[in-house]
Structure formats: C-alpha cells, structure tokens
Amino acid sequence: MSSPHLPLSRRGFLAAGAGAGAALAPAARPAYATARPFGRYGSPERRRSPQTLYVDPHGRGDFSTVQAAVTAATGSGWTLVIAPGVYRETVAVDTTRTEATWIGAAENPRAAVIVYDNAAGTPRPGGGTYGTTGSATTTVQADGFTARWITFANDWLRADHPDISATQAVALKVQGDRSAFHHCRFLGHQDTLYADSTALGVFARQYFAHCYAEGDVDFVFGRATAVYEGCHFRTLNRTDLAAAPYGFVLAPSTAAANPYGCLVSRSRISSEAPDAAYKLARPWVPSSDTTARPSLVVRDAYLGAGIDAVAPYTNMSDAFPWQSQRFAEYRNSGPGAAITVPGNRPQLTAEQAGSATRAAYLGDWTPWKER
C-alpha cells in the first residue's frame, strides 16, 4: 500500500499497477484511439521508413516492449514509435545504436510511460546491489539520441523499503553527446535525471526543452553540458524529515576542464513542500573525479517559494564548498529568487550573461531547430 503522504504521480504508479497509464494520462483524444495506436506515425502495415519500428504493449506493433525494439534496432538511425501504455521494464541503449529517435505516438508524455523500481540499494539477483547507475530505468549511452513525448520514471519509494539506505533511484541516465529531449517527463525522488557522459574526459552535450522533472534529493544531476530550456522542475513534499532542507534541485559535477556545465534558462521551479524547504543546488564532486568544478547558471527563471531564498546553495561535502565552484544566477524572479543576502547569490554581469546561452553551451549543434 502506498503511503498517504506521497504525491499523486507516485501513488498512481503503485495503486494502478498494470493500469497505471489510465491514472497518468489525460482523457482520451483521437491520437489514443484503439484503431490508431501509433497516431499519425504510420503502423507496421504502413511503415514510415524501413528503419521505423513500432512498439505497443497490446501486441499491435512490431514489439510489445521497448527493450525488444532497441535490441532489434542494430546500428544507426532507427526510429521507435511508442504507442500509449505503461512499459514496466528497464531499457539500455548502448554506444553502437547512434542517431536513434523515440516518439511517443500520442504526442503527450503522459501516454507513453517507461517505468521500473530499482534503487541503488536494491539487491541484485546475482549478489550485491545495483548502485546509482544500475538503478536507472532507462540508460542511453549512444550519441545523437532524441526523445519526444515520453515519460521516464522510477517509482521506487523509501516508505516501502525502510531497510534500504541507498535510496538513489534513477529514472533516466543519459550519457551520449547530442542527446535531446523534447516535451518529456522525468519522475522519481532521489537522482531522478542523471545527465552524464561516458567518461571523465568526454564533454557530452544534452538539451532538454519543455520538459518536466520532479523529485527531492539531487534530482537533476551529473557532469554533462546540459541545457534546460522552458522546463518545469517540481520539488516533492516529505514527511519523513523533521526539518528542512528536504532536498536539492540541481547537483552538477562538471569536469574542471569543461567551460560549460548546467544551464537552466527560462524555466520555473514549483513545489509541493513548505516554503523554503529546498535548496536550489549543491555541487557534487564525486570520488571518481575529485578535481571536478561543478558549473551551474540559472537565468531568466521563476523560482517559487519552495526555494530557500536566504541560502539557496549548500555543500555536499565541506571539503568542496559551493563558493569555490562555478555557481551563478541572472535575472531570476519569484519569491525563491529574492536577494536577501547578496553573498549567498552570486550574479552574472550582463556581459557574462552574454556567454551563458544555449548557443555558447552547445556549439555547432542546434537541437532547438529540430522538428
């Protein structure tokens, strides 16, 4: 049974079980019609191209699971059209499957949901535990990946596993360069969206446009050069803690040699939690790269009252204070953006802000022009 204080998005997965899609999706519309599970994107009988595969949990496609379609799509340039439904599975896209595109056929991210429930501390069948990386519901290592209108979720819950202390539970880990997500959702609690690269010396560029991410502890994190544009971040309520902070929205781990880390632009942060219960960010300097110098710019964004305006940043480790990292803001608004203690809110100058743009971060790659 789900805990009564859990947000609806989490309860819906557990209470609805195999029918969770109904709990997560809005009222039906033509693109959901039974006769057209793939909407305007063709069908196995009217395939858009030889490299288009159709996925449907009810057997009307080429495959009934996403992983089966990924396995069949060897090489580069495949498109997966994913029908509405809840796909309870883990999915991995290795480095050889480049330039892949996944399309949620209903053109609504609530309709196609890929979800599983492993945490870092979940025991593996062969011994040991999954760890943070192994907990991911979906892992994408290949370059050139694009997803549209899909929900990536991890519905593992602390309340159901009081014996597990490693509570990181990743919905999506993306490591490839030129990885783009348009109108997608990322649902979880701790470590929901892991924007990373395949190696310390690899600077992977990633772009998230008009996406939604929710969680509590470090729920958007990693070392990628990641641009979040027009996105909505939502912090969840917690009743298992006696006092704030309940968690942290962002936790970049940018390599020191990388001039561009995490850029949040024209986005907003809302909250289910009490006012000032959350920190905006804390730097992650992992044991695998103690020379990391996390980089974060939040600009032209609306920060709701859930963000602690007096002290929006904190340390993950006192050995790596946030003041020594590359954190800055520019022209933010909302109660969580109020500058009450200037020393706690480093601001870019107008000249510096001119270099904090999607074009500067992503270089010759322009995913916002893609249709």
Side-chain angles (χ1 to χ4, degrees):
M1 180 181 293
S2 60
S3 174
H5 68 267
L6 296 170
L8 289 174
S9 51
R10 303 280 76 73
R11 281 205 303 267
F13 282 118
L14 296 182
L24 294 170
R29 64 184 203 177
Y32 288 62
T34 302
R36 297 183 61 206
F38 305 108
R40 62 188 179 96
Y41 295 96
S43 67
E45 296 73 31
R46 304 183 69 161
R47 202 174 300 275
R48 295 187 85 196
S49 75
Q51 284 193 291
T52 301
L53 297 175
Y54 296 87
V55 186
D56 174 59
H58 304 294
R60 296 166 292 181
D62 299 304
F63 302 95
S64 59
T65 68
V66 178
Q67 183 59 61
V70 170
T71 300
T74 57
S76 183
W78 288 86
T79 296
L80 270 55
V81 179
I82 302 174
V86 175
Y87 299 84
R88 180 161 286 278
E89 57 178 308
T90 58
V91 184
V93 182
D94 67 34
T95 58
T96 68
R97 290 167 164 79
T98 57
E99 312 304 326
T101 299
W102 294 5
I103 299 171
E107 299 184 27
N108 185 318
R110 291 178 176 269
V113 179
I114 305 171
V115 58
Y116 208 72
D117 61 349
N118 283 329
T122 301
R124 283 183 177 272
T129 57
Y130 282 98
T132 299
T133 290
S135 75
T137 297
T138 302
T139 302
V140 179
Q141 295 182 310
D143 292 344
F145 180 85
T146 299
R148 298 177 183 274
W149 304 299
I150 296 171
T151 290
F152 300 88
N154 189 319
D155 61 357
W156 188 91
L157 295 171
R158 299 181 186 94
D160 294 342
H161 303 277
D163 55 317
I164 292 180
S165 59
T167 58
Q168 300 90 342
V170 177
L172 172 73
K173 180 171 184 177
V174 54
Q175 298 176 276
D177 185 39
R178 294 178 294 101
S179 299
F181 297 83
H182 303 265
H183 303 283
C184 289
R185 297 196 305 163
F186 309 97
L187 309 182
H189 281 267
Q190 182 171 355
D191 290 8
T192 304
L193 173 54
Y194 193 173
D196 203 40
S197 67
T198 54
L200 292 178
V202 176
F203 302 160
R205 295 165 297 172
Q206 298 165 9
Y207 180 69
F208 301 82
H210 310 293
C211 291
Y212 172 88
E214 70 177 25
D216 48 41
V217 177
D218 304 331
F219 64 93
V220 178
F221 74 114
R223 68 170 171 251
T225 293
V227 174
Y228 302 89
E229 188 168 56
C231 292
H232 179 190
F233 305 90
R234 187 158 179 83
T235 59
L236 300 178
N237 200 10
R238 299 181 66 174
T239 60
D240 58 323
L241 296 178
Y246 286 9
F248 321 89
V249 180
L250 299 142
S253 57
T254 322
N258 188 352
Y260 302 111
C262 177
L263 172 64
V264 176
S265 175
R266 294 188 290 112
S267 297
R268 66 187 175 107
I269 299 175
S270 65
S271 183
E272 294 180 357
D275 290 357
Y278 275 83
K279 302 294 187 182
L280 178 59
R282 61 178 182 171
W284 176 32
V285 179
S287 58
S288 59
D289 182 18
T290 56
T291 66
R293 232 183 128 226
S295 172
L296 168 67
V297 172
V298 180
R299 63 170 299 169
D300 302 296
Y302 179 87
L303 311 184
I307 298 300
D308 179 358
V310 176
Y313 306 107
T314 190
N315 300 336
M316 187 176 295
S317 167
D318 289 341
F320 304 102
W322 72 265
Q323 295 90 340
S324 300
Q325 312 309 322
R326 295 175 285 176
F327 282 12
E329 301 177 55
Y330 184 67
R331 290 194 316 200
N332 294 323
S333 61
I339 303 175
T340 57
V341 181
N344 287 345
R345 307 209 75 140
Q347 302 289 311
L348 296 178
T349 65
E351 182 179 1
Q352 290 169 331
S355 298
T357 65
R358 63 188 183 186
Y361 275 57
L362 302 180
D364 60 358
W365 178 48
T366 56
W368 54 89
K369 296 181 180 180
E370 296 176 3
R371 299 298 181 195

